[in-house]
Amino acid sequence: MKILLFESKSRVVKMKCAIAIILSVLFQISFTGPLNAQSDPGLLNITTAFDFYSGKVLEEKLYLHTDKSGYQAGELMWFKIYNIDSRFNKPLALSKVAYVELLDNRNKPLLQAKIAMDSGRGGGSLIIPVSLPSGVYRLRSYSHWMKNFSEEGFFHKYITVVNALRPLPNSGAAAKPVYKAMFFPEGGNLVEGIESKLAFKIADQFGNGPTCKGWIMEDGKDSVKRIATLHFGMGSVMFTPASNKNYTAVFNLPDGNTITAPIPVAYKQGHVMQIIEKENSFDITIKSNLPGASQVFIAIHTRLSLKHASVLNLVNGQGVINIPNNVPGEGISTITIFDAAKQPVCERLYFRFPAASPMIAIKTDHSGYQSRKKINLEIQSALKNTAHLSMSVYRIDSLQKSPETGIQNYIWLQSELKGRIESPTFYFSHQPELVRPAIENLLLTQGWRRYDWNKILSGKMPAFVFEPEYHGIILNTRVVDSRNGKPVGGVQTYAGAPGSYTRFVIGTSNDSGYSKMEIPGLSGTSEIVAQTNSLTGDSLYRVDLISPFSEMYTGDTLPPMSITAIDTSDILEQNIATQVQYIYGKENLNRFDTLSVDTTTFYYRADQQYLLDDFTRFTTMEEVLREYVKWLTVRKKDNNFQLTLYDEERKLILDNNPLVLLDGIPVFDLNKLMQYDPLKVRKLDVVHRRYSIGNYSFDGILNFVTYEGNLNQYPLDHNAVVVDYEGLQLQREFYSPDYELSGTELESIPDFRTQLKWVNDIRLFNQQPVVIPFFSSDIKGHFLVVLQGISDKGECLEAQTTFEVGNK
């Protein structure tokens, strides 16, 4: 038996794909021992192909910490986004944009936002529409790059919305659970005459599993095995299928009904794998009844980081290899068995508990507070590096409870498995040896093959359609012939957002008509004007903007929402609180941090800037250009205006017309510009040198900016397409009153805040404590503090505490 152990090293490089420049992390995999002529060539083929593939694939993982999980219609939802390298679970500063959506049970987007990311972090907010019916909704998030992979890798979270102004769900009308039983042989297959572990899961249409017992029947009559669930409708049993037999399972449900389900048909011949846990290691046992089966290959990787590769020789169709527990990486690893032809025949997941994260704690200066009193929260940590966290403080009641999902169980478990995980905190709230059987069943029943070994072994470069958004939003457009709707390639496409801060991009359509243009710094709501050059044959073409939001969706069903009598009381109180806050504090909901808006133009600074009000005002644009602008020549040829700039620094006359913009929108017809009223123009920026934008070069730039930055009645070309467009979300400022400011009108304004505090970015460094002050409101009750985040080393950090607000 030959064994090769691997360690992964990474270096980030940029590489060109067929459609764009993408960023990949190249992993140079080095052997712990020398590679010699005795190394098995089959094993080397597998590891070399894996090395090539993993070196070309970089996966992002997003986690959203929301301020809570239940909302009143009309209320604000606050959230913090963490971008993490899927391979190392460390913060990743790749994408500069994250997409957030709230979906209904038909996967219809109800809210959408583009969130600016910086150094792997970003934050935002959504206003829950006042018209939204009560129910459970799906919050999801992803990046442009993540759309290259399965939608299962997107962040998902259930959000509950209550609308007291519309009919509430009838608890008696809740959908009746419909249970289904599913079976999952360990490694993937059952083989006749070979004992295997057979995992099973019983769940309703919402993913909830009951506690029940049952039995396995042979040929519909003989009972051969008793079976029972362990946790959340999952269990397993050792099972040996006989030749030419059919098996079914019968389960007794808690409601007294039974369900029957067929067990997967066993193969006549094949391979079976089994993992047996030991104290500090685990055995991988391989059995095969194939004639001549004498050798298999074993590969273990943790999120595409190869940890182990070996050749296992079989004796009488059996072989065992012992693997120390510390060989697989922390979290979920994949174990794949290949036959002698290097074809994958068995695969399963393995979980290694991550090392304990540094302790963090939250302390309040008192256990209880009166209304409108100052609360000092102190965050203490044993952290020896830097971490960024977010914190929420809100009242808990029958509807609003502690979060079911934390950053630790999401990063290490939920994000690596398929479908909904019932009670994910369970797997991290007990001793590992107590939950190990439950995790084993979870891995066997909800694991999924994320990587196609046929593609890996083919040695082909992975195909990526969506580029990472390194600098900002990528506009995806398609050029079509307006006469027949067919795509047109090789056409220059221009797009801009009218405004005081010029946002202008240019691209060329490919053979399918598509063009991708990166437009950094586009924030807030604006218009996008997309067009081709109206002075060429391109005037017959139309430019369509394509939504950047993903149209891939999961197939799982959202759980129902039921209301009890105790819930109704809390709903009424929360609804009153929301309405009072809206009436008396509406202006506080729309405080935006405008300092974070990028105000730089694509050319950064002009060589010359002319504020036209500083000069004598002329009535024609021609006079303005002739009299004001240095190093510019205005002339006519064949009744068409021509503009020529002189590069004074290089003593060079530029040959062609410069790029002419009005509020960031290209002007192709200079005659039409000369007819425009110059009194509507506030300033003119001039770049009197050759300027390149990507692969495109212009003989200078003239950018006219109107007073309002809205084109001010300038007639656009007939083929220009104007669409409303949401850029990067402007950042709201969380409002928290300061009652220590005496003599203010705050004393007479009702304060019905149930969300006392939201902090988007808390920085912890080198065991230094952080104190966060805020004030209680007029609302009494039990309040929860939730702190979540991640360190620069990838340590998942969480802490909670509670306090009371009332008459003390």
Side-chain angles (χ1 to χ4, degrees):
M1 179 175 61
K2 310 180 187 77
I3 300 177
L4 301 174
L5 292 180
F6 291 77
E7 291 182 355
S8 294
K9 299 179 181 179
S10 65
R11 56 186 177 89
V12 178
V13 300
K14 287 186 177 180
M15 51 180 290
K16 282 191 175 182
C17 281
I19 58 173
I21 297 176
I22 67 168
L23 186 65
S24 292
V25 175
L26 296 181
F27 290 84
Q28 300 297 329
I29 302 180
S30 59
F31 295 92
T32 57
L35 189 62
N36 53 52
Q38 293 182 349
S39 296
D40 190 282
L43 181 64
L44 287 179
N45 288 342
I46 294 172
T47 57
T48 300
F50 186 91
D51 181 16
F52 176 82
Y53 181 86
S54 65
K56 303 298 182 290
V57 175
L58 172 64
E59 292 184 329
E60 295 177 296
K61 185 184 294 185
L62 296 186
Y63 174 74
L64 264 68
H65 174 202
T66 58
D67 57 333
K68 49 192 177 184
S69 57
Y71 300 88
Q72 289 281 325
E75 196 175 4
L76 264 174
M77 174 199 298
W78 299 87
F79 55 83
K80 173 71 174 287
I81 306 177
Y82 297 91
N83 190 357
I84 297 162
D85 181 344
S86 178
R87 193 170 305 196
F88 298 111
N89 282 346
K90 292 183 179 180
L92 180 63
L94 177 62
S95 294
K96 295 301 183 291
V97 183
Y99 297 87
V100 177
E101 297 182 280
L102 189 68
L103 309 176
D104 64 11
N105 57 2
R106 295 173 296 174
N107 287 321
K108 177 184 176 181
L110 305 173
L111 297 171
Q112 294 180 321
K114 306 178 186 77
I115 307 300
M117 300 291 290
D118 183 19
S119 301
R121 300 180 299 275
S125 58
L126 295 172
I127 295 182
I128 306 298
V130 294
S131 59
L132 199 63
S134 299
V136 178
Y137 297 87
R138 188 191 314 276
L139 181 70
R140 74 172 186 171
S141 183
Y142 50 90
S143 68
H144 196 253
W145 176 249
M146 289 171 66
K147 294 193 294 182
N148 288 302
F149 306 96
S150 170
E151 197 271 346
E152 294 286 348
F154 293 1
F155 173 85
H156 293 270
K157 180 177 181 177
Y158 292 156
I159 296 296
T160 302
V161 175
V162 176
N163 192 335
L165 302 180
R166 301 186 64 171
L168 296 174
N170 184 352
S171 59
K176 182 179 179 180
V178 178
Y179 291 101
K180 180 181 179 181
M182 297 160 286
F183 294 89
F184 306 87
E186 182 176 12
N189 305 312
L190 291 174
V191 177
E192 291 182 355
I194 302 179
E195 186 180 48
S196 303
K197 179 181 285 187
L198 179 64
F200 52 87
K201 181 174 183 177
I202 301 95
D204 63 16
Q205 65 270 42
F206 311 113
N208 299 315
T211 299
C212 57
K213 296 181 180 181
W215 59 93
I216 295 176
M217 298 181 65
E218 184 179 87
D219 290 335
K221 51 185 179 180
D222 296 328
S223 176
V224 295
K225 277 279 185 179
R226 292 286 177 179
I227 51 180
T229 59
L230 179 64
H231 293 289
F232 312 118
M234 295 178 289
S236 61
V237 62
M238 297 305 297
F239 178 63
T240 305
S243 299
N244 301 316
K245 298 292 183 180
N246 293 316
Y247 297 92
T248 56
V250 181
F251 291 95
N252 290 322
L253 299 175
D255 60 6
N257 293 319
T258 62
I259 57 171
T260 302
I263 289 176
V265 176
Y267 288 89
K268 294 289 185 181
Q269 295 178 329
H271 293 79
V272 166
M273 73 177 298
Q274 183 183 355
I275 288 183
I276 300 175
E277 293 279 354
K278 296 187 175 181
E279 184 175 356
N280 297 310
S281 64
F282 59 92
D283 286 343
I284 302 176
T285 300
I286 309 298
K287 297 179 182 179
S288 176
N289 62 0
L290 285 168
S294 60
Q295 189 181 73
V296 294
F297 305 105
I298 300 172
I300 302 176
H301 71 86
T302 306
R303 301 176 296 276
L304 281 181
S305 181
L306 194 58
K307 302 297 184 180
H308 170 95
S310 64
V311 180
L312 178 61
N313 295 318
L314 304 181
V315 178
N316 296 324
Q318 297 188 28
V320 179
I321 182 173
N322 182 262
I323 305 294
N325 285 342
N326 60 359
V327 168
E330 294 180 328
I332 291 181
S333 296
T334 302
I335 303 173
T336 307
I337 309 299
F338 303 84
D339 62 14
K342 301 186 294 295
Q343 293 300 306
V345 292
C346 296
E347 189 169 80
R348 62 152 294 168
L349 303 182
Y350 178 82
F351 186 78
R352 174 185 166 192
F353 276 93
S357 297
M359 292 295 297
I360 59 173
I362 311 171
K363 292 187 176 181
T364 58
D365 47 356
H366 300 288
S367 60
Y369 301 88
Q370 293 178 329
S371 298
R372 304 197 181 197
K373 294 301 179 182
K374 190 173 186 178
I375 301 169
N376 288 305
L377 284 181
E378 182 176 307
I379 301 172
Q380 301 174 342
S381 78
L383 195 70
K384 295 183 180 180
N385 59 89
T386 303
H388 292 265
L389 303 97
S390 42
M391 186 187 76
S392 180
V393 183
Y394 59 93
R395 194 185 74 164
I396 54 178
D397 52 31
S398 62
L399 290 173
Q400 198 64 257
K401 300 177 175 64
S402 298
E404 289 188 0
T405 299
I407 189 169
Q408 178 175 241
N409 59 58
Y410 181 82
I411 295 301
W412 292 113
L413 197 63
Q414 285 180 271
S415 62
E416 298 291 321
L417 297 177
K418 186 176 182 178
R420 174 177 177 256
I421 297 178
E422 190 175 355
S423 301
T425 54
F426 165 82
Y427 300 98
F428 286 86
S429 59
H430 300 77
Q431 294 297 322
E433 59 272 14
L434 298 179
V435 300
R436 170 59 71 180
I439 288 184
E440 173 78 357
N441 291 332
L442 179 67
L443 298 179
L444 292 175
T445 58
Q446 289 188 226
W448 60 302
R449 177 170 288 180
R450 296 179 61 182
Y451 310 107
D452 187 339
W453 273 103
N454 290 326
K455 292 182 180 179
I456 294 175
L457 295 173
S458 71
K460 295 181 181 179
M461 175 71 187
F464 300 119
V465 177
F466 304 101
E467 305 84 354
E469 292 176 308
Y470 298 121
H471 306 295
I473 295 172
I474 292 178
L475 288 179
N476 292 277
T477 64
R478 195 182 196 203
V479 179
V480 298
D481 191 320
S482 58
R483 295 166 296 183
N484 53 30
K486 293 183 178 180
V488 184
V491 176
Q492 285 192 355
T493 305
Y494 304 85
S500 301
Y501 311 120
T502 302
R503 301 286 180 259
F504 167 78
V505 288
I506 182 173
T508 300
S509 61
N510 62 17
D511 292 341
S512 299
Y514 292 104
S515 177
K516 301 172 186 292
M517 299 172 285
E518 194 173 56
I519 183 165
L522 183 62
S523 301
T525 303
S526 61
E527 289 182 333
I528 291 289
V529 179
Q531 59 187 320
T532 57
N533 191 332
S534 60
L535 297 184
T536 67
D538 297 347
S539 62
L540 298 175
Y541 303 144
R542 183 184 75 246
V543 182
D544 295 333
L545 263 67
I546 301 171
S547 172
F549 290 94
S550 174
E551 295 183 354
M552 299 187 299
Y553 304 100
T554 59
D556 57 317
T557 305
L558 293 175
M561 178 184 180
S562 60
I563 303 297
T564 65
I566 188 172
D567 294 334
T568 305
S569 175
D570 288 330
I571 288 172
L572 178 60
E573 187 175 354
Q574 288 183 9
N575 180 256
I576 294 173
T578 300
Q579 292 192 57
V580 170
Q581 284 300 106
Y582 186 81
I583 293 171
Y584 290 96
K586 181 179 179 180
E587 68 281 358
N588 296 322
L589 301 178
N590 293 313
R591 293 185 174 189
F592 294 94
D593 178 14
T594 56
L595 296 178
S596 62
V597 176
D598 184 1
T599 60
T600 58
T601 61
F602 70 93
Y603 50 82
Y604 298 107
R605 64 176 181 84
D607 295 329
Q608 298 289 336
Q609 186 176 91
Y610 300 90
L611 299 175
L612 300 192
D613 285 340
D614 292 345
F615 298 85
T616 301
R617 280 296 200 169
F618 292 103
T619 56
T620 67
M621 193 68 77
E622 181 180 358
E623 290 177 297
V624 169
L625 296 178
R626 289 186 184 276
E627 299 297 331
Y628 297 165
V629 183
K630 294 172 60 178
W631 317 119
L632 175 69
T633 300
V634 181
R635 64 178 184 270
K636 265 190 172 184
K637 183 179 180 180
D638 298 330
N639 291 323
N640 291 318
F641 279 97
Q642 292 184 339
L643 305 177
T644 303
L645 283 167
Y646 176 70
D647 187 340
E648 193 274 336
E649 182 179 344
R650 296 169 180 79
K651 310 302 180 185
L652 176 68
I653 297 176
L654 303 180
D655 298 328
N656 303 306
N657 285 327
L659 172 65
V660 180
L661 305 170
L662 178 64
D663 289 336
I665 305 305
V667 175
F668 304 109
D669 188 347
L670 296 181
N671 292 347
K672 188 162 61 173
L673 175 70
M674 293 303 180
Q675 298 172 7
Y676 189 63
D677 185 359
L679 297 179
K680 296 178 180 178
V681 177
R682 180 176 66 87
K683 71 172 182 175
L684 169 62
D685 283 353
V686 181
V687 177
H688 49 70
R689 51 190 159 81
R690 282 201 175 95
Y691 191 89
S692 295
I693 306 175
N695 297 324
Y696 308 93
S697 182
F698 300 94
D699 282 358
I701 299 173
L702 296 181
N703 183 28
F704 298 85
V705 180
T706 64
Y707 285 93
E708 301 297 329
N710 60 358
L711 297 173
N712 200 350
Q713 299 180 330
Y714 180 81
L716 292 171
D717 294 339
H718 71 279
N719 68 330
V721 175
V722 183
V723 296
D724 291 330
Y725 192 85
E726 286 288 340
L728 297 173
Q729 186 183 81
L730 296 175
Q731 297 298 298
R732 281 189 176 86
E733 297 179 355
F734 184 86
Y735 172 72
S736 182
D738 185 349
Y739 290 116
E740 289 185 339
L741 298 175
S742 58
T744 67
E745 63 178 7
L746 290 176
E747 298 176 359
S748 59
I749 297 177
D751 183 357
F752 279 27
R753 291 175 299 125
T754 57
Q755 181 75 40
L756 297 183
K757 191 66 175 178
W758 167 257
V759 186
N760 184 61
D761 194 10
I762 301 171
R763 184 173 179 267
L764 296 182
F765 178 71
N766 199 23
Q767 300 180 329
Q768 296 178 0
V770 174
V771 177
I772 299 177
F774 57 94
F775 288 83
S776 60
S777 65
D778 297 336
I779 297 293
K780 299 176 176 60
H782 195 55
F783 285 81
L784 177 67
V785 183
V786 179
L787 184 69
Q788 296 186 9
I790 191 167
S791 75
D792 292 346
K793 292 184 178 180
E795 298 154 319
C796 296
L797 306 173
E798 296 179 86
Q800 294 186 14
T801 192
T802 59
F803 61 85
E804 297 287 335
V805 174
N807 294 321
K808 186 178 178 182

